[in-house]
Amino acid sequence: MNTAQVFELVQQPSAADRALAEMRAQFGRNGTASRWSRLPTRARAVICYAAGLSTTLAGRELDQFDFEQQEAIRLALGELLATLREFDGSVLHRQEWHRTTRRSEGPTRSEQEQAEHENKRRAELNEQAGILEGRIAALRKAAGNGQ
């Protein structure tokens, strides 16, 4: 073995050293940059659009944006998160989204049943109120006769 071969063997990192260097590189990355790079290009384009940037920039890594662009992306993500919090899993159900188209056809059966139940309850309460008003009037009359 000549000196050049020995020198080459000494310089080449082992597989373990290469794996460790790769892990350090991944862990050393900013968590935000790592998350950005894992996003699909379409999601990045939406975020760029929300940030007021060209959607063609979606192919860039986060560290390729200048400070102002990164700040615009950060603010846009905050706005998007706040907006998304308005929607929970129940409102993402298909029936919830297409309910508005059925409203033009009239109320649904459950809405009709609810309205009937409310009307029935209202009538019962009105009847009870009438009975109580009659009793109050009778008590007032009896109290007036007794004085």
Side-chain angles (χ1 to χ4, degrees), residues 47 65 109:
I47 296 166
F65 290 97
R109 180 180 175 141

Side-chain angles (χ1 to χ4, degrees), residues 26 30 36 39 45 52 88 105-106 109 122 129 135 141 147:
Q26 286 180 351
N30 180 336
W36 177 264
L39 284 175
D88 59 11
E105 300 168 10
R109 180 180 175 141
R122 193 173 290 118
R135 288 181 184 168
K141 186 176 180 183
Q147 286 183 344

Side-chain angles (χ1 to χ4, degrees), residues 49-144:
Y49 181 82
L53 304 174
S54 171
T55 56
T56 60
L57 300 176
R60 288 186 178 184
E61 289 301 317
L62 198 57
D63 60 355
Q64 294 175 323
F65 290 97
D66 64 29
F67 179 80
E68 287 81 18
Q69 291 170 328
Q70 287 179 359
E71 186 65 8
I73 289 171
R74 187 185 71 79
L75 294 173
L77 280 170
E79 290 174 11
L80 289 169
L81 277 172
T83 302
L84 290 172
R85 284 190 188 105
E86 296 293 321
F87 294 91
D88 59 11
S90 65
V91 299
L92 295 179
H93 192 276
R94 180 178 288 145
Q95 185 178 11
E96 184 72 22
W97 284 89
H98 300 295
R99 176 177 285 173
T100 54
T101 58
R102 290 187 316 186
R103 288 226 182 264
S104 62
E105 300 168 10
T108 63
R109 180 180 175 141
S110 62
E111 290 170 334
Q112 288 174 337
E113 290 171 356
Q114 180 70 24
E116 289 172 11
H117 175 73
E118 288 173 5
N119 288 338
K120 183 178 179 183
R121 183 70 179 137
R122 193 173 290 118
E124 290 171 359
L125 290 173
N126 283 336
E127 184 180 336
Q128 290 175 358
I131 292 170
L132 290 175
E133 286 172 357
R135 288 181 184 168
I136 290 171
L139 287 173
R140 285 186 182 150
K141 186 176 180 183

Side-chain angles (χ1 to χ4, degrees), residues 42-53:
R42 184 174 179 193
R44 289 188 200 183
V46 168
I47 296 166
C48 286
Y49 181 82
L53 304 174

